[in-house]
Amino acid sequence: MLAWFYGKLATYLREENGATAVEYGIMVALIGAVIIGTVVILGTKILGAFQTIVSNLG
């Protein structure tokens, strides 16, 4: 099974049609950066909202 996967991967990497593996890697990195940035920004705002709720309840 692993040999089959490596064979398919090697065939895929040799193809030059469409986006290459490098371009996919860059795309994945950019999407990951956007997700991490969004989580960081929203995470602090959500934390502040929960702290406000807790302080108003207590």
Side-chain angles (χ1 to χ4, degrees):
M1 173 99 177
L2 195 56
W4 173 82
F5 177 73
Y6 284 136
K8 289 288 186 184
L9 182 63
T11 302
Y12 174 75
L13 292 177
R14 276 182 284 198
E15 291 180 1
E16 294 186 16
N17 297 336
T20 63
V22 174
E23 291 167 337
Y24 280 127
I26 292 170
M27 243 183 348
V28 168
L30 289 174
I31 291 170
V34 169
I35 290 172
I36 290 171
T38 303
V39 168
V40 168
I41 291 170
L42 290 180
T44 56
K45 290 184 180 186
I46 291 172
L47 178 63
F50 277 122
Q51 287 175 339
T52 303
I53 292 169
V54 168
S55 66
N56 287 337
L57 290 175

